[in-house]
Amino acid sequence: MISFSYGNSICCRFWEDECVVYNQLTGSTHLIDGLGVEVFKAVSEKKSSRSEFLKNLQSVFDLPVDFDLETGLDNLLLEYQKLGLLQVMENSPA
Amino acid sequence: MKLATLSKKGLIRSLNSGGLRFKIGAFTICLSSPIAEVADHLLALYGAFELIDDEAFIDFYTLLAPPSKVRRYFRPQVNFSFDGFIPFKPLPYNQASAMFEWGLNWCIANHSHQHLIIHAAVVERNGRAFIFPGTPGSGKSTLCAALVCSGWRLLSDEMTLLSLADGLVYPVPRPISLKNRSIDVIRSLHPDAVMGQVVNDTLKGTVGHLRPPDSSVESGAIPAQPAKLIFPKYQDASKTELTPLSKARAFLKVAENSFNYNVLGVVGFNSLGALIDASDCYEFKYSRLDEALALFAELAR
């Protein structure tokens, strides 16, 4: 099972369909919109298992039938991990 | 006792012997200078400021003086120093007064980290602060001058001091710096407005300073609640347009216009977040000051 989280060094603020994320370790501030906002909302609400999150996204976004949500999400998670905003972990199934 | 109660002779004496001590908002300043034009600048623009006694704590000890040696006589120059430290290269002697204003900006921006400091004009009406962040040339000082000349309270034309402790905006009501065409625009709209010496060929072009209203100086200890964050953009012949801006984007724009957001770390992030929560955010394009004034009067109701 893949899950994602952020450490104590990350702060988020949400406004409507956008958020800003601050990384205390790098001092950088990021503007996040679209799918990314749902990622950070999920983390802040501790609903951060990838499979659970994918189900939730299907209901939030009106996505085209052929949209590869799983790949889109994985690319996004990877990008946020590179920026030091998220930790993506592969856990053993409970 | 106010600075205006001093004669020019008395003011020059103070500037030459131990320094003139006065209060700007919450800050206390001691200014020493042998330059006569500095006294003229203070008499024209700082008359309403309170003098403070010799025992009071001073935040910024400043000195405007010619450099030593040749440049005292040949193409004379002036240095600004703070606590004996000279942060800038010298400027031509006739820019001494403008250098004092720029030097004081530097002092506050670099030493007042009990505030989130935003490069923004800020004015108040009906207890609500309107904050105008902007880069040079955006028209924020012109807008600020026009509002202040129309009865709004000046908190600052250059830096918004947002208290980290209570989230209020604290005033630092000083002369408004106008540049190039703005000088004539404000003079033609408000012929009674008092302008100090206008200096050509500075690094910022032609610069003049407008005297702050006495009432704004006298209210220098009273903070204001932030209400609107408006990013102005003067554009020739443009229509007056006020466009809502998303709060997250406004956050990023204010962070970019802050002097010490990066210094303050997470405290700055949280303070700025609270400011954004408390404020309606807009982008504002204008070319006509009369329309801008009418619009802001409506927004302040």
Side-chain angles (χ1 to χ4, degrees):
Chain A
M1 187 179 79
I2 292 174
S3 64
F4 43 91
S5 65
Y6 52 69
N8 294 334
S9 59
I10 301 297
C11 304
C12 298
R13 277 200 178 244
F14 298 90
W15 291 284
E16 296 167 357
D17 54 355
E18 292 175 327
C19 71
V20 288
V21 178
Y22 178 67
N23 185 344
Q24 292 182 59
L25 297 180
T26 61
S28 57
T29 307
H30 303 263
L31 173 66
I32 309 283
D33 60 7
L35 184 60
V37 178
E38 297 306 318
V39 170
F40 284 94
K41 266 188 192 163
V43 176
S44 65
E45 292 164 9
K46 315 249 184 256
K47 295 174 186 167
S48 52
S49 109
R50 182 176 174 280
S51 53
E52 188 187 339
F53 182 64
L54 277 168
K55 266 189 229 161
N56 185 43
L57 280 184
Q58 297 282 9
S59 62
V60 171
F61 289 98
D62 187 16
L63 298 166
V65 182
D66 58 348
F67 184 76
D68 183 353
L69 184 57
E70 290 199 36
T71 307
L73 176 63
D74 288 342
N75 288 340
L76 203 55
L77 293 178
L78 193 62
E79 193 184 328
Y80 293 152
Q81 189 170 31
K82 277 185 194 163
L83 290 168
L85 302 181
L86 284 183
Q87 295 159 341
V88 181
M89 293 150 291
E90 196 156 347
N91 305 322
S92 322
Chain B
M1 189 168 100
K2 292 190 174 170
L3 192 147
T5 58
L6 293 178
S7 64
K8 184 172 177 182
K9 207 171 165 184
L11 181 57
I12 289 173
R13 194 182 314 120
S14 289
L15 288 168
N16 279 286
S17 54
L20 180 78
R21 294 159 171 257
F22 58 103
K23 201 172 169 71
I24 302 176
F27 299 104
T28 50
I29 319 292
C30 178
L31 170 62
S32 301
S33 181
I35 301 169
E37 288 79 0
V38 173
D40 292 332
H41 178 78
L42 293 170
L43 280 174
L45 305 181
Y46 280 82
F49 288 73
E50 282 289 331
L51 299 174
I52 50 177
D53 59 45
D54 289 350
E55 284 75 42
F57 178 82
I58 295 292
D59 293 303
F60 305 121
Y61 282 95
T62 59
L63 168 69
L64 283 164
S68 55
K69 301 178 186 169
V70 179
R71 295 316 282 268
R72 186 176 289 252
Y73 307 103
F74 173 70
R75 291 186 185 164
Q77 294 182 321
V78 58
N79 267 327
F80 173 86
S81 73
F82 159 70
D83 271 355
F85 170 65
I86 298 177
F88 314 116
K89 289 182 179 171
L91 289 179
Y93 195 81
N94 69 339
Q95 296 180 23
S97 301
M99 195 178 204
F100 169 63
E101 300 299 338
W102 298 332
L104 205 49
N105 288 342
W106 179 89
C107 289
I108 295 170
N110 283 278
H111 300 91
S112 184
H113 298 311
Q114 70 273 36
H115 301 106
L116 176 69
I117 308 172
I118 305 161
H119 188 199
V122 55
V123 294
E124 177 264 329
R125 178 171 271 187
N126 300 332
R128 307 165 78 211
F130 282 43
I131 301 169
F132 298 98
T135 47
S138 62
K140 71 176 163 48
S141 289
T142 314
L143 197 53
C144 172
L147 287 164
V148 163
C149 289
S150 306
W152 290 62
R153 173 160 75 111
L154 172 71
L155 281 86
S156 174
D157 85 305
E158 185 66 21
M159 49 181 74
T160 294
L161 303 181
L162 183 74
S163 166
L164 301 179
D166 60 18
L168 299 176
V169 178
Y170 279 76
V172 53
R174 292 167 49 209
I176 299 173
S177 170
L178 295 173
K179 296 173 216 67
N180 305 315
R181 280 167 54 195
S182 301
I183 297 168
D184 288 333
V185 167
I186 296 299
R187 270 181 170 161
S188 64
L189 282 175
H190 298 280
D192 296 338
V194 176
M195 190 86 72
Q197 181 198 9
V198 173
V199 187
N200 300 314
D201 302 322
T202 76
L203 290 170
K204 302 181 180 192
T206 301
V207 173
H209 287 88
L210 187 72
R211 178 176 167 129
D214 290 3
S215 57
S216 298
V217 175
E218 286 154 9
S219 306
I222 304 170
Q225 177 71 49
K228 310 277 181 199
L229 257 171
I230 299 167
F231 296 85
K233 181 68 200 160
Y234 175 85
Q235 200 172 307
D236 270 336
S238 75
K239 285 184 182 169
T240 303
E241 278 180 12
L242 186 72
T243 314
L245 177 67
S246 83
K247 287 188 177 253
R249 282 166 206 279
F251 185 109
L252 262 276
K253 284 176 74 114
V254 175
E256 284 165 12
N257 278 287
S258 167
F259 291 106
N260 63 346
Y261 171 76
N262 289 326
V263 174
L264 296 173
V266 71
V267 176
F269 178 84
N270 288 331
S271 290
L272 180 48
L275 170 69
I276 298 288
D277 282 339
S279 308
D280 301 322
C281 306
Y282 304 94
E283 287 180 312
F284 178 60
K285 203 159 65 171
Y286 77 103
S287 62
R288 295 188 54 124
L289 278 172
D290 56 342
E291 290 182 7
L293 293 178
L295 178 69
F296 292 133
E298 191 62 34
L299 273 182
R301 281 188 184 177

